[in-house]
Amino acid sequence: MNTVAVTPGGAEVKVKRSPLGRFSDVLYRRPNLYLLLLLVPPLLWFGSVYIASLLSLLWQGFYTFDDFTMLVDHTLTLSNYAQLFDAANFDIILRTLLMALSVTLFSALLAFPVAYYMARFASGRTKAFFYIAVMLPMWTSYIVKAYAWTLLLAKEGVSSWFINLLGLDAVLQFLLSVPGIGGNTLSTSNLGRFLVFTYIWLPFMILPVQAALERLPPSLIQASADLGGTPFKTFRHVIFPLAVPGIAAGSIFTFSLTLGDYIVPQLVGPPGLFLGTMVYVQQGSIGNMPMAAAFTLVPIVLIAVYLAIVKRLGAFDAL
Amino acid sequence: MTTVVEFSSVSRHYGEVKAVDQVSLKIAEGEFFSMLGPSGSGKTTSLRMIAGFEQPSEGYVIIHGHDATGLPPYKRDVNTVFQDYALFPHMNVLENIAYGLMVKGVAKKERLSRAQEALDMVALGEYGLRKPAQLSGGQRQRIALARALVNRPKVLLLDEPLGALDLKLREQMQSELKTLQRQLGITFIFVTHDQTEALSMSDRVAVFNKGRIEQMGSPRDLYNKPQTAFVAEFIGSANVIKQPLVDTLGLQSGKTFALRPEYIDLNAVSEAVSGELNAKGVIRDIQYQGANTRYQVMLDSGEALNVSCANSFSAGNEGSGDVLTDGAEVNLSWRADAMVELRDVELRGENVNVDNAGA
């Protein structure tokens, strides 16, 4: 297609365009076509590799597993999903859920002051240092970190040496004696597992909270003070509500990552399966693919419920 | 008259930079007081020291007769309308306005009804349930005003509140603000870089330059009796007449004078000359400005003077203003008392007479 341009004199001039130029003209005139071309590859990837395989996985949850032959039979059944509510299985779900919730809560508590400092006070080199300090641990393989923690938390490890140095042995012994969170040593207790989870997922909480606080205009804080709001009231009515979308975003990471994790529970903490380890055992050791598939549905449902609750609480209103 | 806000030799330093340098002033109750100056002149920093967002490095800020130096914003009985309005995005309009009452513990029913009253006052009564993001700039501005006024402060601080509005809306808000201030009898302290705004609204204006107050007085005083070249040129426009033009004109040697462009008569060389002082020149540039035409006239002695003429509607000059053309030779004439003698030294803040409150 040749474009016809009209010169100021009125004479028609044919402008030659290369095929690529003409293609670019077409895209310019048809923004929808342009958008379509941009989106088709990622959507294909997302649809086939991600959604389709996930659906096929969940579909396998309806297949029957023959305990005797150890073979998967394509007869459809609801029993796998029903078995999730068996006391032993439900225990796993509950244990994982409690851990995910406490890790999320504790991460939020730890992350907020750091994020607040980074967003509102740090500048230049200090800020760069904090960014690197927060992200540096993510450059290391997380399996290595989890292993390192088993040593750090062991009875003769750095942590007990340090606690001893501080003279806090009694406090540690008391914490380890509390049923539910305690154990023989930190590395075999739920407390230790909780600390490692929090350590590993903390950056995922700090960064979104920091981003949310960064977007908060300083004039809002001044306006609150100007209208008579004490620092506490300013925090309660202005800073916190506007940081909630960041906390919600961070909590989605910490919550879902803890729910699906299968490495940390194997390395740190008391025996007893987590959702992730259960899927791993069912699929890897036993070969009960249908049951493993049924278990993968649990985190998906829990996260959906979690998001619904968080949305109900108005976490996304300030977005 | 009672003084509500007083600065006693107040300075604010940021490292080496003196944002505010030895400023003293007194603002009377019920006054519409403007702080006028270019950006970086210290006017906003001064306002923020009244609000409590900044603390003076030296000197005292006295509010309602009590030393407020070091007091946090939430312990001061002043409220601010922010330049960016600073409305809380997660609250609706009513909640925004009721915020000040809420943090002070006023019961929900009362604070909402008072917020509604304030909302009616700014003529946005039915917008109470909207979020700030759903409002236009002018509406947000009114909400910010209502949010400050609902607390019934004795002093309202306005930090360039009209800067983001377009011209028509700004003019409308100027007259509304002035009316509101008269009705409520609250002291308004208004920061602006727009001299027209300051002149048309204020009882008194302090002209800031480089952290100091150059001159303080009523709009008429500032315009007709500027004391420094900065004030003369910043408020309106002025020809600053210095050596050697002073000698050429036969004035007292060594002095500096300001002469407003509109006080100069411009005539073709052929016409008779009327004024007490005269100069001859050639038109170098003509700017048609609608109501006025501005001429730049190069005098024979080499200096340029600006002359502003109202565009009259008369025979041969039907509002077009271009009777005289570029390059035409002209006679300039003006009355001797139209010239205001300026001090050559820039004034320091502490030299300003602080006792002319309510002049």
Side-chain angles (χ1 to χ4, degrees):
Chain A
M1 172 178 40
N2 283 321
T3 324
V4 176
V6 181
T7 60
E12 287 188 359
V13 178
K14 296 224 167 190
V15 180
K16 289 247 182 220
R17 300 278 278 156
S18 66
L20 202 64
R22 270 180 275 144
F23 179 62
S24 135
D25 290 349
V26 171
L27 290 185
Y28 179 76
R29 279 195 296 270
R30 296 169 166 237
N32 285 336
L33 180 68
Y34 186 37
L35 201 63
L36 193 74
L37 283 177
L38 276 181
L39 283 180
V40 160
L43 282 179
L44 272 178
W45 175 269
F46 188 72
S48 60
V49 176
Y50 188 73
I51 301 278
S53 54
L54 186 67
L55 288 177
S56 102
L57 176 74
L58 293 177
W59 179 248
Q60 289 189 48
F62 293 105
Y63 289 164
T64 314
F65 180 75
D66 192 325
D67 287 324
F68 187 65
T69 59
M70 303 283 271
L71 286 175
V72 176
D73 178 359
H74 285 207
T75 332
L76 297 183
T77 170
L78 279 173
S79 82
N80 294 315
Y81 288 110
Q83 275 180 52
L84 290 176
F85 295 95
D86 287 357
N89 290 337
F90 199 69
D91 227 31
I92 296 172
I93 296 172
L94 215 57
R95 184 184 302 139
T96 316
L97 181 63
L98 272 177
M99 180 60 84
L101 285 174
S102 27
V103 167
T104 297
L105 192 69
F106 193 59
S107 300
L109 284 177
L110 279 183
F112 199 94
V114 180
Y116 191 78
Y117 178 81
M118 283 173 76
R120 305 218 67 86
F121 297 104
S123 60
R125 281 167 172 273
T126 333
K127 194 166 201 159
F129 168 77
F130 265 84
Y131 266 116
I132 293 172
V134 168
M135 295 209 265
L136 197 63
M138 297 207 277
W139 300 354
T140 322
S141 157
Y142 116 102
I143 299 182
V144 173
K145 285 187 285 182
Y147 261 114
W149 274 101
T150 61
L151 296 176
L152 291 174
L153 294 176
K155 200 159 198 138
E156 298 82 25
V158 176
S159 60
S160 49
W161 167 79
F162 191 66
I163 288 165
N164 187 269
L165 204 69
L166 293 173
L168 294 173
D169 279 324
V171 179
L172 179 65
Q173 287 314 314
F174 169 76
L175 283 175
L176 289 179
S177 69
V178 176
I181 67 167
N184 275 333
T185 66
L186 265 179
S187 66
T188 56
S189 67
N190 267 321
L191 182 64
R193 184 182 281 163
F194 163 79
L195 290 176
V196 174
F197 266 133
T198 308
Y199 162 78
I200 290 181
W201 306 139
L202 190 59
F204 293 92
M205 183 64 98
I206 293 178
L207 294 176
V209 176
Q210 189 261 346
L213 289 171
E214 193 109 10
R215 281 199 303 269
L216 181 77
S219 67
L220 290 188
I221 294 167
Q222 287 169 359
S224 170
D226 185 72
L227 293 164
T230 56
F232 174 74
K233 283 183 171 153
T234 301
F235 178 81
R236 155 117 173 58
H237 296 294
V238 178
I239 299 172
F240 183 71
L242 290 171
V244 163
I247 299 173
S251 74
I252 291 166
F253 288 122
T254 55
F255 185 74
S256 60
L257 289 171
T258 313
L259 274 188
D261 196 77
Y262 67 101
I263 306 262
V264 172
Q266 286 184 52
L267 297 177
V268 188
L273 292 165
F274 260 49
L275 276 177
T277 37
M278 185 62 177
V279 171
Y280 181 74
V281 167
Q282 290 292 346
Q283 180 264 130
S285 319
I286 305 172
N288 186 347
M289 201 60 112
M291 198 60 215
F295 264 103
T296 55
L297 182 68
V298 178
I300 296 172
V301 170
L302 286 180
I303 289 162
V305 171
Y306 179 77
L307 282 179
I309 293 173
V310 167
K311 186 172 185 296
R312 251 283 166 76
L313 294 175
F316 304 115
D317 289 1
L319 276 184
Chain B
M1 211 177 269
T2 331
T3 301
V4 283
V5 174
E6 182 179 347
F7 271 30
S8 163
S9 305
V10 169
S11 297
R12 179 71 175 105
H13 305 161
Y14 298 101
E16 291 290 293
V17 184
K18 291 178 175 178
V20 173
D21 186 11
Q22 295 284 320
V23 165
S24 295
L25 56 83
K26 281 181 180 175
I27 298 167
E29 195 172 352
E31 204 178 8
F32 198 122
F33 186 90
S34 289
M35 295 177 169
L36 174 67
S39 56
S41 61
K43 55 189 194 307
T44 297
T45 310
S46 296
L47 189 86
R48 292 168 63 81
M49 285 193 284
I50 304 174
F53 307 137
E54 306 269 354
Q55 300 295 348
S57 313
E58 287 164 23
Y60 299 95
V61 176
I62 296 147
I63 301 175
H64 305 130
H66 298 287
D67 184 6
T69 318
L71 223 55
Y74 50 89
K75 286 189 180 156
R76 297 178 185 219
D77 192 9
V78 298
N79 286 116
T80 309
V81 176
F82 289 82
Q83 190 172 14
D84 64 351
Y85 316 136
L87 298 176
F88 304 121
H90 57 301
M91 300 179 192
N92 68 29
V93 165
L94 269 184
E95 288 166 340
N96 259 287
I97 298 177
Y99 186 85
L101 303 170
M102 189 255 297
V103 293
K104 282 180 203 116
V106 176
K108 188 165 190 179
K109 209 173 163 192
E110 194 198 331
R111 69 177 189 245
L112 286 182
S113 82
R114 275 172 66 181
Q116 186 62 51
E117 267 172 44
L119 198 55
D120 292 337
M121 184 178 70
V122 295
L124 286 174
E126 62 275 34
Y127 289 83
L129 299 178
R130 299 237 190 141
K131 286 277 175 76
Q134 297 167 298
L135 302 174
S136 70
Q139 290 168 334
R140 279 182 228 177
Q141 155 76 73
R142 285 155 190 260
I143 303 303
L145 190 63
R147 184 178 69 174
L149 287 174
V150 78
N151 304 291
R152 296 170 192 159
K154 294 212 184 72
V155 182
L156 185 72
L157 310 175
L158 301 108
D159 182 11
E160 306 209 19
L162 309 181
L165 305 180
D166 61 55
L167 185 64
K168 278 283 160 213
L169 202 53
R170 196 155 69 217
E171 285 172 350
Q172 188 193 338
M173 280 308 290
Q174 282 172 11
S175 74
E176 280 184 31
L177 274 179
K178 186 71 197 147
T179 316
L180 203 60
Q181 192 259 345
R182 284 215 196 92
Q183 273 174 11
L184 301 169
I186 295 176
T187 310
F188 274 34
I189 302 177
F190 191 91
V191 161
T192 180
H193 60 262
D194 180 340
Q195 41 104 9
T196 325
E197 201 165 272
L199 291 185
S200 62
M201 299 168 79
S202 325
D203 297 321
R204 235 159 28 107
V205 180
V207 183
F208 279 74
N209 183 31
K210 294 177 188 162
R212 301 179 315 234
I213 295 181
E214 290 252 342
Q215 193 175 344
M216 193 153 49
S218 72
R220 281 181 180 77
D221 272 355
L222 288 176
Y223 192 76
N224 291 313
K225 292 173 201 139
Q227 291 177 3
T228 64
F230 175 82
V231 174
E233 285 176 324
F234 192 74
I235 298 184
S237 55
N239 296 297
V240 174
I241 299 177
K242 293 186 269 209
Q243 296 288 11
L245 185 55
V246 173
D247 289 337
T248 317
L249 292 168
L251 300 163
Q252 200 181 339
S253 191
K255 297 207 164 180
T256 309
F257 297 90
L259 178 62
R260 298 288 177 197
E262 68 272 23
Y263 294 166
I264 303 177
D265 284 329
L266 181 78
N267 291 296
V269 271
S270 54
E271 289 173 49
V273 175
S274 56
E276 295 168 4
L277 285 160
N278 302 295
K280 252 187 181 179
V282 177
I283 295 178
R284 277 278 165 261
D285 186 39
I286 301 178
Q287 282 177 24
Y288 177 69
Q289 295 173 333
N292 306 301
T293 304
R294 176 171 288 255
Y295 301 92
Q296 195 187 53
V297 177
M298 191 63 78
L299 300 185
D300 295 345
S301 55
E303 291 88 354
L305 282 185
N306 285 317
V307 181
S308 178
C309 298
N311 291 329
S312 59
F313 198 89
S314 56
N317 182 20
E318 283 80 7
S320 65
D322 40 277
V323 182
L324 296 161
T325 50
D326 212 344
E329 281 192 47
V330 287
N331 265 330
L332 303 181
S333 59
W334 62 92
R335 286 169 56 126
D337 55 5
M339 293 198 296
V340 183
E341 192 186 324
L342 302 174
R343 305 192 195 183
D344 349 335
V345 259
E346 288 181 333
L347 287 182
R348 291 198 55 84
E350 64 255 46
N351 295 339
V352 172
N353 177 14
V354 295
D355 294 322
N356 59 349

